[in-house]
Amino acid sequence: QVQLQESGPGLVKPSETLSLTCTVFGGSITSYYWSWIRQPPGKGLEWIGFIYYSGSTNYNPSLKSRVTISGDTSKNQFSLTLSSVTAADTAVYYCAGEKVDGNCFDPWGQGTLVTVSS
Amino acid sequence: DIQMTQSPSSLSASVGDRVTITCRASQSISSYLNWYQQKPGKAPKLLIYVASSLQSGVPSRFSVSGSGTDFTLTISSLQPEDFATYYCQQSYSTPRTFGQGTKVEIK
């Protein structure tokens, strides 16, 4: 079955850019919308946005000005960049797949903690 | 954006108890409502999708009801492995939004 793995730096300085990559194993990248979701420590879940294999994207308006999600179908990967980060962007970042005909998030990566601190 | 409101935010219950969690959407979302279970340090796990379909492997003690704006997740007989935080999530429109979560704790 499809499995996801996030990778990227665990520490980012304030005002810099956060960059994460999600690698898709064991399935077709064309069957899903690929999302990033984050969870600040002790808090709830926030959807950041998704990309479809065609390259079309959809972002949360609350983050749209700072977010880019891109994909590399040759590597079965998709990436998140979040610019001008502050301490409020400290969170566990998850990648997740939403089947085109499924309307739910499954599978999920294990998550990666990104801390924004100088 | 569609706001999702869960109640209660937390509850204490004993093994064998019947537990009910409510999720309310700020506008009609038809049946586009999913439920997730999250344990500490783990990613959320899909339990139920599109309002009433149990994900493969999810025990039948989990059930749901509702459509439109009001939904309920019921655990008929709480088991030790059910102590976790539960989130509802709408997939009716973007941005996708989640409820704030309901933490189910041991009494």
Side-chain angles (χ1 to χ4, degrees), chain B residues 47-67:
Chain B
L47 287 180
I48 295 164
Y49 58 100
V50 196
S52 61
S53 299
L54 259 65
Q55 176 71 333
S56 175
V58 173
S60 58
R61 62 181 178 272
F62 290 90
S63 65
V64 291
S65 64
S67 66

Side-chain angles (χ1 to χ4, degrees), chain A residues 26-79:
Chain A
S28 170
I29 200 167
T30 64
S31 302
Y32 292 80
Y33 297 104
W34 300 105
S35 278
W36 288 97
I37 297 164
R38 70 180 183 178
Q39 184 172 38
K43 296 188 178 181
L45 298 159
E46 180 181 32
W47 178 76
I48 298 170
F50 67 56
I51 186 168
Y52 189 47
Y53 83 99
S54 62
S56 64
T57 55
N58 192 307
Y59 300 135
N60 192 324
S62 68
L63 296 167
K64 188 174 184 177
S65 64
R66 298 195 290 132
V67 169
T68 301
I69 299 176
S70 59
D72 186 338
T73 55
S74 68
K75 295 182 179 179
N76 263 22
Q77 292 179 334
F78 61 104
S79 298

Side-chain angles (χ1 to χ4, degrees), chain B residues 69-89:
Chain B
T69 59
D70 294 309
F71 302 85
T72 299
L73 172 69
T74 299
I75 309 172
S76 60
S77 177
L78 199 64
Q79 298 302 299
E81 59 268 29
D82 301 335
F83 291 95
T85 300
Y86 294 84
Y87 292 94
C88 61
Q89 175 252 325

Side-chain angles (χ1 to χ4, degrees), chain B residues 1-100:
Chain B
D1 299 7
I2 297 176
Q3 306 302 316
M4 307 300 294
T5 304
Q6 286 180 236
S7 61
S9 296
S10 64
L11 63 93
S12 295
S14 301
V15 172
D17 284 354
R18 180 182 182 89
V19 168
T20 298
I21 300 169
T22 297
C23 179
R24 174 165 287 177
S26 60
Q27 67 183 73
S28 177
I29 57 171
S30 184
S31 296
Y32 292 97
L33 192 281
N34 308 308
W35 291 94
Y36 302 86
Q37 178 193 66
Q38 187 179 33
K39 296 183 177 180
K42 300 293 187 182
K45 170 189 166 184
L46 178 66
L47 287 180
I48 295 164
Y49 58 100
V50 196
S52 61
S53 299
L54 259 65
Q55 176 71 333
S56 175
V58 173
S60 58
R61 62 181 178 272
F62 290 90
S63 65
V64 291
S65 64
S67 66
T69 59
D70 294 309
F71 302 85
T72 299
L73 172 69
T74 299
I75 309 172
S76 60
S77 177
L78 199 64
Q79 298 302 299
E81 59 268 29
D82 301 335
F83 291 95
T85 300
Y86 294 84
Y87 292 94
C88 61
Q89 175 252 325
Q90 63 82 18
S91 56
Y92 181 80
S93 66
T94 58
R96 303 294 194 233
T97 48
F98 294 84
Q100 80 279 15

